[in-house]
Amino acid sequence: MNWQETPPLAPVQIELPLTSDALAEPFRQPAADGFILGGFAWRHAAADATRPVVIINAATSVRCRHYSRFADYLFAHGLDVITYDYRGIGESRPASIKGLNATWTDWGALDFEAMLKRAQHEFPGQPIDVVGHSFGGCAAGLGASGQLIRRLVTVGAQFAYWRDYAPAHRWRMFGKWHVVMPLVTKICGYFPGKRLGWLEDTPAGVVRDWSTPTARYETRPSGRRINDRLPFATVTANTLAISISDDPYGTIAAIERLLDYFTGSSRTHLRITPEDIGETEVGHFAFFRSAYQATLWPIALSWLQNGELPPDTPGRTVPRSHPN
């Protein structure tokens, strides 16, 4: 099977939690095929059927611990939270990933689907919301139980079609992710991203999905096996797609390309420039760093709590040129 996602142009500093270990409960969860996934849950003591439980879908080859401070923030504002790693990554990594049969479609159809089922079972009756970073936004549309999602927030969400990369970075990114990465993967049997400073080690199937230069998800290697039954349209969630103008992956074209798959959802695309929040750069990964707790995190929180943007939301909404 295969995958797709795109780390930054330079080595990324992943922010690990300072306080979350005391708040989060580790768990193990089998997917439908028996693969054991690892993750963490932030759970309030008192049951409340009106309290949302939020599943956070990571970017490709980013450990779920990168989102722990953001999970702390949501928990402090009254939400329950689940973070987890896709098979082959972080808490869900076996001793070796060489030869591991894992693809992007597996990450959505099996791993994310397992988290939807876990949320339904462990937090019975509570609304289920999702935050998806980069490929994590695509994964939100690949679970068979996508109709369970009430609200969806995506950040820089796309599936790495190379022509959608920002023009100033496009050829460098194409060489790195669509030439070098698959060649190294062919030699090693997996992509040794950690050794190279390019995020986590990554299964070969995910690399094939990512590096295949096609404009449609269903024509990626693992997407072809679900060509006639892509489940995106079953998601009816009120959806907010956040993009940052200096994110070379999350261009308007890339965000809209993914949003076009969520035909059953109401969709709002919010475009923010670094200058809108008094910064000079933000990029693809920084949204979930605690430095943006006061400026960016309230946007996602408001959508999860109310399904609306706060009155003082920075940026602008992008008119949808392809409503269907």
Side-chain angles (χ1 to χ4, degrees), residues 153-197:
V153 175
T154 68
V155 178
Q158 34 67 48
F159 53 89
Y161 176 47
W162 70 276
R163 289 186 183 275
D164 289 340
Y165 295 156
H169 303 282
R170 182 175 299 149
W171 291 110
R172 182 184 174 194
M173 293 168 69
F174 183 87
K176 185 173 184 177
W177 305 119
H178 301 266
V179 178
V180 174
M181 182 171 66
L183 284 175
V184 173
T185 300
K186 189 171 184 179
I187 294 168
C188 298
Y190 70 101
F191 183 64
K194 206 161 187 177
R195 217 181 313 163
L196 297 173

Side-chain angles (χ1 to χ4, degrees), residues 15 28 33 76 95 120 130-131 133 135 146 186 231 239 247 254 259 310:
E15 183 170 323
R28 308 291 282 171
D33 64 345
Q120 191 178 36
V130 175
V131 173
H133 180 206
F135 170 75
K186 189 171 184 179
T239 298
D247 176 358
L259 281 178

Side-chain angles (χ1 to χ4, degrees), residues 66-133:
H66 177 58
Y67 306 92
S68 292
R69 286 192 174 97
F70 182 68
D72 280 346
Y73 171 83
L74 297 181
F75 180 76
H77 284 82
L79 286 66
D80 293 321
V81 187
I82 293 172
T83 67
Y84 70 103
D85 281 311
Y86 308 119
R87 60 189 64 199
I89 306 297
E91 309 299 319
S92 304
R93 176 178 175 141
S96 173
I97 63 170
K98 187 173 183 179
L100 175 65
N101 186 26
T103 68
W104 259 349
T105 297
D106 291 333
W107 283 1
L110 294 174
D111 301 351
F112 171 61
E113 174 67 12
M115 295 305 125
L116 283 173
K117 294 296 189 182
R118 181 178 184 85
Q120 191 178 36
H121 178 263
E122 296 292 324
F123 301 87
Q126 294 181 218
I128 299 173
D129 296 338
V130 175
V131 173
H133 180 206

Side-chain angles (χ1 to χ4, degrees), residues 5-20:
E5 164 64 39
T6 40
L9 299 181
V12 175
Q13 293 182 345
I14 297 301
E15 183 170 323
L16 295 180
L18 294 177
T19 60
S20 297

Side-chain angles (χ1 to χ4, degrees), residues 40-313:
F40 300 92
W42 285 251
R43 180 196 301 269
H44 288 84
D48 184 348
T50 66
R51 179 192 303 123
V53 53
V54 181
I55 302 170
I56 299 179
N57 285 351
T60 297
S61 300
V62 175
R63 296 184 64 170
C64 69
R65 288 175 179 267
H66 177 58
Y67 306 92
S68 292
R69 286 192 174 97
F70 182 68
D72 280 346
Y73 171 83
L74 297 181
F75 180 76
H77 284 82
L79 286 66
D80 293 321
V81 187
I82 293 172
T83 67
Y84 70 103
D85 281 311
Y86 308 119
R87 60 189 64 199
I89 306 297
E91 309 299 319
S92 304
R93 176 178 175 141
S96 173
I97 63 170
K98 187 173 183 179
L100 175 65
N101 186 26
T103 68
W104 259 349
T105 297
D106 291 333
W107 283 1
L110 294 174
D111 301 351
F112 171 61
E113 174 67 12
M115 295 305 125
L116 283 173
K117 294 296 189 182
R118 181 178 184 85
Q120 191 178 36
H121 178 263
E122 296 292 324
F123 301 87
Q126 294 181 218
I128 299 173
D129 296 338
V130 175
V131 173
H133 180 206
S134 200
F135 170 75
C138 185
L142 293 172
S145 302
Q147 76 281 356
L148 295 174
I149 307 171
R150 181 189 63 158
R151 292 173 186 150
L152 171 62
V153 175
T154 68
V155 178
Q158 34 67 48
F159 53 89
Y161 176 47
W162 70 276
R163 289 186 183 275
D164 289 340
Y165 295 156
H169 303 282
R170 182 175 299 149
W171 291 110
R172 182 184 174 194
M173 293 168 69
F174 183 87
K176 185 173 184 177
W177 305 119
H178 301 266
V179 178
V180 174
M181 182 171 66
L183 284 175
V184 173
T185 300
K186 189 171 184 179
I187 294 168
C188 298
Y190 70 101
F191 183 64
K194 206 161 187 177
R195 217 181 313 163
L196 297 173
W198 297 6
L199 300 182
E200 296 294 311
D201 297 343
T202 304
V206 173
V207 173
R208 285 194 298 271
D209 277 336
W210 183 352
S211 60
T212 300
T214 59
R216 302 290 298 174
Y217 184 84
E218 60 268 30
T219 59
R220 303 290 170 120
S222 71
R224 286 197 291 267
R225 68 185 176 88
I226 55 171
N227 191 9
D228 296 328
R229 49 189 178 87
L230 283 171
F232 289 93
T234 65
V235 178
T236 58
N238 188 14
T239 298
L240 172 65
I242 300 172
S243 65
I244 309 296
S245 65
D246 70 333
D247 176 358
Y249 305 102
T251 61
I252 290 176
I255 303 301
E256 292 292 313
R257 186 177 303 279
L258 178 58
L259 281 178
D260 282 348
Y261 281 90
F262 288 91
T263 55
S265 301
S266 60
R267 292 156 284 177
T268 299
H269 180 179
L270 177 67
R271 186 76 169 170
I272 301 171
T273 70
E275 293 75 18
D276 290 332
I277 58 171
E279 301 286 347
T280 57
E281 60 181 4
V282 177
H284 189 59
F285 287 89
F287 184 100
F288 295 96
R289 294 178 185 156
S290 52
Y292 298 97
Q293 178 172 329
T295 53
L296 294 177
W297 293 4
I299 301 169
L301 177 65
S302 176
W303 195 268
L304 295 170
Q305 290 179 325
N306 310 308
E308 298 177 349
L309 293 171
D312 57 349
T313 299

